[in-house]
Every structure is written in structure tokens, then in C-alpha cells.
């Protein structure tokens, strides 16, 4: 079997809310977002097996509350549920970072108690989703969101803003959509980081979205940079 994991970040205090964790970066993705900072992970091959990851976690678990499954897109990997069960056997909490294109897998993980927290990317409103992600997966994102809203899994939503790709009207539309769907959690909005190596040929952003223009009764918006 091809090795699924591109890299391991041994320790983070930033990527799992209020927990210590390591990050497993899964190789491959079904999107090619123009602003993606991880072209090597998206287009590269895995270097670590599930066994390698479990061996690593057994040695370090005295330091770790949980494991972040990131990527790339970790939910593309068919063995993920079995791996999550192994992580649970090691006593780990599990956070999944996802672009929201595999709702069936999340349903299975939820049913089996194999996911504790989700960070869901909301890339763009429907009309721009395909051009920004170079995929046609918006409908799956919508299904994923609806499943999460009905579930009891804690989750956050994240949007990256490159001002050539998303403008303030787009962001207003996205917030209105989330409100309509009944989302009342945290929406993290992060601006594109200039001078990054990305999948698309993007120029640096000159301006930023003005946080003062955004308000929502139900959603807690957090501008990260
Ligand atoms: S930013 Fe897009 S292309 Fe990059 S890993 Fe996430 S979903 Fe895949």
C-alpha cells in the first residue's frame, strides 16, 4: 500500500483548540486551490505509513492530547476510519482538517465516535468555488456542512481571502449563507500570506478586507491576520 502521510509535525499548541497535538499531513488532494500553500503535499507522495505514525505517537503520547489529520485532504484515504480507531486505542483525541468533500466518511466516523473536532474550509460562494478550487465539488461541501450542522461534532469554519479571488461582497454572501443554514460557531477569516509558494500564479495582495464591515448575530467572526 502506498504510504499515506507526507510529513509529521511533532508538536503544536496552535492547531487543535486548547489541546496539545501533533499534525499528520496526508499526501494528495482532490482540489487545486489557487492559493494553496502546500503544493508539495498536494502533488507529492507519502513518506510515512500508518504504522510509522502509530509508532511515533506511542513514543510521544505523554505529550499529546490529540492528533490533527491534515493535508492535502486526509478524507480521501480509504483506510482513515481504521487508522482513527487505532488512534482512539492510543487514547488520542482526533481533529480533522478538511475541504468538506467526503460527507459519507464523516458520517461513518461520527457514528463510530472516531472524530472529536473538525475544521472545515469554506473556499468560496457557489459561483466562485470551481474557479478558485479548480474542482467541481461545491455540492459536496454543502452536504458536508448540513451533516455537520445536524451532528454533535464541535467544528469551526475557515476561509482564506486573496483579494483578487474573493471580495467583500463574496464574503458577505458566504456569511449570509452560513446564517441561513443555521451555523452559529466560529468563522476564521485569514488573509493570504504574501510571497508564499502556491499552486496558482498569484500576485501579492495589496489590501485587506476591513473586519469592521462584517457583523453577524449568530456567527463569531475571527480575523486572524
Ligand atoms: S488548500 Fe485546497 S488544494 Fe490545498 S490542501 Fe487545501 S483543499 Fe487541497
Amino acid at each position: 500500500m502506498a504510504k499515506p502521510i507526507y510529513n509529521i509535525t511533532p508538536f503544536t499548541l496552535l492547531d487543535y483548540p486548547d489541546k496539545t497535538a501533533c499534525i499528520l499531513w496526508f499526501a494528495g488532494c482532490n482540489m487545486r486551490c489557487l492559493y494553496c500553500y502546500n503544493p508539495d503535499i498536494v502533488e507529492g507522495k507519502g513518506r510515512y505509513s500508518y504504522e510509522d505514525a502509530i509508532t511515533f505517537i506511542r513514543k510521544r503520547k505523554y505529550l499529546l492530547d490529540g492528533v490533527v489529520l491534515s493535508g492535502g485532504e486526509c478524507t480521501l484515504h480509504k483506510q482513515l476510519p481504521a487508522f482513527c480507531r487505532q488512534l482512539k486505542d492510543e487514547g488520542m483525541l482526533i481533529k480533522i482538517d478538511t475541504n468538506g468533500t467526503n460527507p459519507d466518511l464523516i458520517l461513518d466516523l461520527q457514528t463510530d465516535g472516531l472524530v472529536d473536532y473538525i475544521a472545515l474550509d469554506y473556499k468560496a460562494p457557489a459561483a466562485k468555488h470551481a474557479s478558485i478550487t479548480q474542482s467541481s465539488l461545491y455540492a459536496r461541501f454543502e452536504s458536508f456542512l448540513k451533516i455537520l450542522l445536524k451532528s454533535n461534532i464541535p467544528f469551526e469554519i475557515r476561509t482564506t481571502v486573496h483579494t483578487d479571488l474573493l471580495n467583500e461582497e463574496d464574503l458577505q454572501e458566504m456569511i449570509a449563507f452560513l446564517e441561513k443554514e443555521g451555523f452559529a460557531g466560529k468563522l476564521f477569516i485569514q488573509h493570504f500570506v504574501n510571497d508564499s509558494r502556491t499552486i496558482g500564479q498569484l500576485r501579492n495582495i495589496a489590501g485587506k478586507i476591513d473586519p469592521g464591515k462584517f457583523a453577524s448575530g449568530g456567527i463569531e467572526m475571527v480575523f486572524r491576520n
Side-chain angles (χ1 to χ4, degrees), residues 183-197:
F183 176 62
K186 281 188 180 168
L187 170 62
F188 290 95
I189 296 167
Q190 50 214 5
H191 286 97
F192 178 76
V193 177
N194 283 340
D195 299 318
S196 301
R197 195 167 79 83

Side-chain angles (χ1 to χ4, degrees), residues 35-40 160 190-194 196-199:
Y35 56 72
C36 180
Y37 302 127
N38 295 325
D40 294 340
T160 299
Q190 50 214 5
H191 286 97
F192 178 76
V193 177
N194 283 340
S196 301
R197 195 167 79 83
T198 53
I199 285 181

Side-chain angles (χ1 to χ4, degrees), residues 103 106-111 115-118 120 143-156 181-183:
I106 289 301
L107 264 180
D108 290 347
L109 292 178
Q110 181 205 345
T111 305
V115 56
D116 300 288
Y117 192 89
I118 287 179
L120 171 64
S143 304
F144 194 104
L145 178 65
K146 286 177 199 294
I147 286 171
L148 270 188
L149 287 166
K150 280 194 203 136
S151 79
N152 55 6
I153 307 171
F155 73 102
E156 65 186 44
E181 293 297 319
F183 176 62

Side-chain angles (χ1 to χ4, degrees), residues 127-192:
K128 286 192 168 179
H129 197 268
S131 61
I132 291 176
T133 66
Q134 304 192 82
S135 72
S136 50
L137 297 167
Y138 184 78
R140 289 210 210 169
F141 162 78
E142 272 202 8
S143 304
F144 194 104
L145 178 65
K146 286 177 199 294
I147 286 171
L148 270 188
L149 287 166
K150 280 194 203 136
S151 79
N152 55 6
I153 307 171
F155 73 102
E156 65 186 44
I157 298 179
R158 311 182 301 190
T159 295
T160 299
V161 177
H162 187 296
T163 44
D164 285 353
L165 305 176
L166 286 181
N167 57 35
E168 290 180 356
E169 290 72 37
D170 295 324
L171 212 46
Q172 297 286 16
E173 184 183 338
M174 293 164 73
I175 291 164
F177 170 74
L178 291 175
E179 287 174 335
K180 179 172 75 64
E181 293 297 319
F183 176 62
K186 281 188 180 168
L187 170 62
F188 290 95
I189 296 167
Q190 50 214 5
H191 286 97
F192 178 76

Side-chain angles (χ1 to χ4, degrees), residues 12 14-26 65-71 74-75 80 83-84 87-88 92-98 106 109 114-121 153-158 188 224:
T12 175
L14 302 175
D15 291 82
Y16 195 140
D18 305 320
K19 306 289 179 202
T20 59
C22 65
I23 310 174
L24 307 183
W25 301 93
F26 281 72
D65 300 317
V67 179
V68 178
L69 309 181
S70 194
C74 65
T75 68
L80 201 72
F83 179 59
C84 287
L87 292 175
K88 283 290 166 200
M92 292 289 109
L93 294 168
I94 298 172
K95 171 177 178 261
I96 292 182
D97 293 348
T98 179
I106 289 301
L109 292 178
L114 297 175
V115 56
D116 300 288
Y117 192 89
I118 287 179
L120 171 64
D121 288 349
I153 307 171
F155 73 102
E156 65 186 44
I157 298 179
R158 311 182 301 190
F188 290 95
R224 271 186 166 147

